[in-house]
């Protein structure tokens, strides 16, 4: 892994910003307002620029960059449109699982294809009856006639339609006790497209209030096949541990997404507050508005530093579930507060689809929910400071 110095980090930030200004900002508000997904050519360009394999070692087709660089790229993409920063999350989750737990053969087979965008992935962990309580996942994977057959349901699988591979947490041993020892991760191949392949694999999109550039699906599996070679790490019963080990990356990346969205809302409010005239002066002259902006920039910077701190710890190879949890929880709540206050700066226009202030606010609401709810993050933090209790 190459640790980028400050100059390289500035250059990475500048180049991602340029990409966002050229490819994302001209289209994202219109697409968001019309409930449309990110155009596939934009995803193709992200792959070409190496965003999907940022942290994969060069020998597996990646860029070999560190976690801080990954956070910077994520932040800048999300500053354009949360969904764009979040496309990367899918490849990061599957890629980091394979990097950490895959067999050598799996690394050689999948990582270069994920890095190049040839294989797009989605994470299928959550189920209709089981969300935070990961150990209780029910979807069954049974070995029959030399392959796994998956039966059960998943929900909130974002990007499932466009993915070539679903990274599925499945129960391979229903008798195992404690029950988390019966879980395994399978790399389940499918054809991309909204049609899926019912009845073996059916999917339907879930209408949402934000996060519009990607669709989240509820999925029904009825004997859907998966090759035995696609069992992550080649050993059953390890799925729970494999997933926990990669939560740190996903949480740092989610904190970076929250920082990006909050920064975009501040940028927009800064501009508007100097242009909007009331009582014969720009509203930025009113102390209450100035202080809203000052609070926002302070909170964003605090979240950004916490995110980079967790990323730096990750790069030293130290355990950082506490720091990643703090960064994710703090940044999520910060983004909700900041985007709401920045919408307020716009007055009535903030509530209108003509301005993106409402998009940032709708998008920011999801941070406290996905990648482990805030309540779960605080449990992780509390356990660490209370010595496991
Ligand atoms: C837009 C969106 C996209 C998503 N994308 C994906 C995806 O791609 N893949 C995927 O697998 N999942 C995805 N999710 C699902 C997401 O990860 C879950 O919603 C989340 O983990 C919470 O699970 P749940 O919704 O079942 O809530 P529950 O676990 O049922 O929780 C309900 C409430 O109870 C609280 N709670 C639960 N347990 C505890 C506890 N022990 N202590 C204190 N409070 C607790 C929670 O914090 C929450 O407030 C997505 C969700 C959304 C909204």
């Amino acid at each position: 892994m190459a640790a980028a110095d400050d100059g390289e980090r500035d250059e990475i930030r500048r180049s991602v910003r340029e990409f966002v200004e050229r490819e994302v900002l001209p289209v994202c508000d219109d697409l968001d307002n019309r409930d449309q997904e990110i155009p596939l050519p934009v995803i193709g360009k992200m792959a070409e620029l190496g965003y999907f394999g940022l942290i994969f070692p060069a020998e597996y087709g990646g860029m070999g960059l560190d976690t801080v660089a990954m956070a910077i790229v994520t932040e800048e993409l999300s500053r354009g449109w949360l969904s764009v920063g979040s496309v990367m999350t899918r490849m990061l989750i599957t890629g980091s699982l394979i990097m950490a737990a895959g067999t050598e053969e799996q690394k050689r087979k999948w990582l270069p294809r994920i890095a190049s965008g040839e294989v797009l992935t989605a994470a299928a962990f959550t189920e209709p009856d089981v969300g935070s309580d990961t150990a209780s996942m029910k979807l069954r994977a049974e070995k029959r006639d030399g392959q796994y057959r998956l039966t059960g349901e998943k929900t909130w699988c974002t990007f499932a339609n466009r993915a070539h591979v679903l990274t599925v947490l499945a129960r391979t041993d229903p008798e195992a006790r404690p029950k988390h020892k019966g879980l395994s991760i399978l790399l389940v191949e499918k054809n991309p497209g909204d049609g899926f392949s019912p009845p073996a694999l059916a999917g339907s999109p879930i209408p949402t209030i934000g996060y519009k550039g990607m669709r989240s699906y509820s999925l029904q599996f009825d004997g859907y096949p998966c090759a035995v070679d696609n069992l992550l790490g080649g050993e059953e019963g390890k799925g729970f541990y494999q997933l926990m080990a990669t939560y740190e990356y996903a949480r740092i990346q989610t904190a970076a997404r929250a920082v990006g969205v909050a920064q975009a809302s501040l940028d927009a409010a800064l501009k508007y507050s100097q242009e909007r005239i009331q009582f014969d002066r720009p509203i930025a002259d009113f102390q209450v508005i100035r202080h809203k902006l000052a609070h926002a920039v302070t909170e964003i910077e605090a979240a950004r530093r916490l995110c980079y701190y967790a990323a730096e710890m990750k790069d030293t190879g130290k355990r950082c579930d506490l720091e990643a949890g703090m960064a994710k929880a703090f940044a999520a709540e910060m983004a909700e507060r900041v985007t709401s206050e920045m919408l307020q700066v716009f007055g009535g226009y903030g509530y209108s689809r003509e301005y993106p202030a409402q998009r940032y606010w709708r998008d920011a609401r999801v941070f406290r929910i996905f990648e482990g709810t805030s309540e779960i993050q605080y449990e992780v933090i509390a356990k660490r400071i209370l010595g496991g209790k």
Side-chain angles (χ1 to χ4, degrees):
M1 178 185 62
D5 63 26
D6 284 348
E8 283 167 316
R9 284 176 185 162
D10 289 346
E11 178 51 28
I12 290 169
R13 191 183 290 282
R14 192 203 53 72
S15 77
V16 182
R17 201 169 283 180
E18 200 179 273
F19 165 77
V20 166
E21 279 167 10
R22 198 178 58 243
E23 304 288 343
V24 180
L25 292 180
V27 295
C28 62
D29 282 307
D30 178 52
L31 292 170
D32 192 272
N33 282 336
R34 290 189 295 111
D35 246 335
Q36 296 296 306
E37 292 171 284
I38 301 164
L40 281 171
V42 172
I43 294 176
K45 282 180 191 143
M46 291 172 75
E48 268 172 42
L49 289 165
Y51 297 162
F52 298 156
L54 276 179
I55 59 164
F56 304 174
E59 59 176 312
Y60 300 116
M63 295 181 82
L65 289 174
D66 61 14
T67 315
V68 178
M70 182 274 289
I72 290 170
V73 173
T74 301
E75 186 185 323
E76 289 301 326
L77 292 175
S78 307
R79 193 169 171 179
W81 195 13
L82 171 61
S83 301
V84 172
S86 302
V87 169
M88 219 181 103
T89 318
R90 316 318 71 219
M91 281 29 106
L92 178 78
I93 290 175
T94 305
S96 59
L97 278 166
I98 296 171
M99 270 179 1
T103 61
E104 189 52 36
E105 204 182 335
Q106 287 169 340
K107 288 181 196 171
R108 297 214 172 277
K109 174 171 178 190
W110 295 109
L111 292 177
R113 296 167 71 198
I114 294 173
S116 70
E118 182 193 337
V119 167
L120 299 172
T121 69
F125 307 140
T126 308
E127 297 183 359
D129 296 335
V130 193
S132 305
D133 182 13
T134 307
S136 297
M137 293 299 167
K138 291 193 249 181
L139 182 132
R140 182 83 171 92
E142 212 175 340
K143 220 188 247 177
R144 262 189 270 147
D145 305 326
Q147 56 184 349
Y148 286 103
R149 293 280 176 179
L150 277 66
T151 303
E153 287 182 76
K154 290 286 172 189
T155 192
W156 287 114
C157 183
T158 305
F159 209 58
N161 54 335
R162 287 176 158 185
H164 304 79
V165 167
L166 304 177
T167 306
V168 177
L169 184 65
R171 189 159 292 281
T172 40
D173 181 359
E175 310 302 329
R177 293 296 175 270
K179 54 191 173 184
H180 68 266
K181 293 200 168 171
L183 294 172
S184 304
I185 290 178
L186 293 166
L187 304 171
V188 178
E189 295 177 59
K190 66 174 269 291
N191 290 324
D194 295 315
F196 297 92
S197 39
L201 177 59
S204 45
I206 304 169
T208 57
I209 59 165
Y211 204 39
K212 295 289 186 184
M214 288 194 296
R215 301 209 168 117
S216 301
Y217 282 77
S218 60
L219 300 172
Q220 291 80 39
F221 296 77
D222 186 4
Y224 191 77
C226 173
V228 169
D229 288 348
N230 290 0
L231 168 69
L232 186 69
E235 200 184 336
E236 289 186 3
K238 302 284 178 209
F240 182 83
Y241 304 102
Q242 292 166 342
L243 196 57
M244 294 293 136
T246 58
Y247 273 171
E248 291 170 353
Y249 270 131
R251 289 178 179 172
I252 292 167
Q253 204 252 357
T254 303
R257 286 190 277 172
V259 169
V261 172
Q263 182 67 54
S265 77
L266 170 64
D267 296 342
L270 273 173
K271 182 165 182 285
Y272 185 81
S273 65
Q274 294 170 77
E275 291 166 359
R276 176 71 173 172
I277 307 291
Q278 290 295 289
F279 300 95
D280 299 323
R281 39 190 179 142
I283 59 170
D285 280 4
F286 301 123
Q287 191 183 46
V288 73
I289 298 289
R290 303 167 70 76
H291 284 197
K292 276 189 203 302
L293 300 168
H295 272 290
V297 73
T298 308
E299 286 206 75
I300 293 169
E301 200 54 33
R304 180 179 286 124
R305 294 298 139 193
L306 200 48
C307 173
Y308 293 174
Y309 170 60
E312 277 161 10
M313 282 208 52
K314 183 83 193 154
D315 289 332
T316 60
K318 289 191 192 126
R319 175 178 175 178
C320 63
D321 56 340
L322 176 70
E323 292 74 12
M326 291 194 298
K328 196 272 179 184
F330 184 78
E333 289 171 14
M334 174 282 294
E336 189 181 350
R337 271 193 308 274
V338 164
T339 55
S340 176
E341 284 301 287
M342 296 304 96
L343 185 154
Q344 189 70 14
V345 170
F346 282 76
Y349 291 111
Y351 208 65
S352 149
R353 296 257 183 183
E354 287 167 44
Y355 287 87
Q358 44 75 37
R359 166 164 68 84
Y360 304 133
W361 177 63
R362 283 184 289 108
D363 280 351
R365 187 60 185 87
V366 77
F367 293 123
R368 281 173 59 202
I369 300 171
F370 64 18
E371 293 299 343
T373 64
S374 285
E375 292 75 13
I376 295 295
Q377 305 305 325
Y378 288 124
E379 267 306 293
V380 171
I381 296 165
K383 259 193 200 136
R384 284 292 303 278
I385 61 173
L386 291 166
K389 282 177 248 156

